[in-house]
């Protein structure tokens, strides 16, 4: 079963009329991506290609305090871009491909622009 | 000539190490997308599928003042997501597929997650 399949079904593309509710929902996700540290944290997690990353490794990779990293991870989690699980001392994070796919598809100009356009 | 081709060459995907400079650049674009009105304005322009939209039609489509719409259009333009040209009384806007493609590709989980991942 593909979780990506579910999330992308019936989702709008940029070239479709965007309801205020849907726009608000998408904007919330993009706003969370609109921070360089969060993008780098997300990138670090995504670099495991579907695997998990210990919060200890994420914190080690940045010259930032634990609480700051935790804040950014919480923002990413609340936006549905990553999920996590505590096991013993550490929390492990992984990306949610379905959510990333939804945002990627929304912006995909192949869904927006005809091949002859853009001249 | 495809402008998209140039923009997407050598651009990082989410699963690659993201330099602070590149993260800052991408985050600026996502931050601009992190506003529901801007997303709806961009969607309205993109709905022309590579064609142009008069600023008068954009303003008519929203219950917002001209200066507010102009502010959002300027943000979109400064982020390289749209471009415009004045002709006579009106300014005409169109999307930049190359920039949208770059952001879409960056988030694409197909570049991030192996087929067997996510279990």
């Amino acid at each position: 079963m593909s979780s990506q399949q579910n999330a992308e079904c019936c989702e709008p593309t940029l070239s479709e009329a965007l309801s205020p509710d849907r726009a608000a929902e998408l904007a919330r996700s993009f706003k969370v991506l609109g921070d360089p540290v969060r993008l780098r944290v997300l990138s670090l997690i995504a670099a495991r290609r579907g695997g998990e990353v210990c919060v200890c490794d994420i914190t080690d990779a940045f010259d930032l305090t634990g609480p700051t990293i935790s804040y950014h991870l919480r923002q990413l989690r609340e936006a549905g871009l990553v999920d996590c699980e505590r096991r013993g001392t550490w929390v492990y994070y992984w990306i949610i491909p379905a959510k990333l796919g939804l945002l990627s598809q929304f912006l995909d100009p192949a869904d927006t622009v005809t091949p002859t356009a853009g001249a």
Side-chain angles (χ1 to χ4, degrees), chain A:
Chain A
M1 189 177 73
S2 163
S3 56
Q4 195 172 330
Q5 202 174 359
N6 293 336
E8 288 187 0
C9 168
C10 313
E11 291 298 336
T13 62
L14 189 50
S15 64
E16 294 169 21
L18 206 53
S19 73
D21 282 355
R22 179 59 79 182
E25 193 182 324
L26 287 163
R28 269 194 298 275
S29 298
F30 286 124
K31 194 171 182 181
V32 167
L33 294 172
D35 178 279
V37 171
R38 278 198 291 275
L39 273 190
R40 291 175 64 205
V41 168
L42 186 63
S43 175
L44 191 153
I45 300 171
R48 294 293 171 95
R49 297 189 166 274
E52 301 172 341
V53 186
C54 175
V55 69
C56 56
D57 291 331
I58 301 172
T59 307
D60 281 353
F62 293 88
D63 192 18
L64 294 166
T65 65
T68 298
I69 293 293
S70 291
Y71 166 78
H72 288 306
L73 283 167
R74 191 168 62 247
Q75 299 281 309
L76 290 169
R77 192 161 54 81
E78 287 175 1
L81 294 162
V82 305
D83 203 356
C84 68
E85 188 177 83
R86 175 176 288 279
R87 276 183 237 128
T89 307
W90 301 111
V91 181
Y92 295 82
Y93 285 83
W94 58 90
I95 61 162
I96 309 287
K99 182 70 180 211
L100 290 166
L102 187 159
L103 299 175
S104 172
Q105 190 186 29
F106 174 74
L107 295 175
D108 187 355
D111 284 334
T112 304
V113 183
T114 56
T116 54

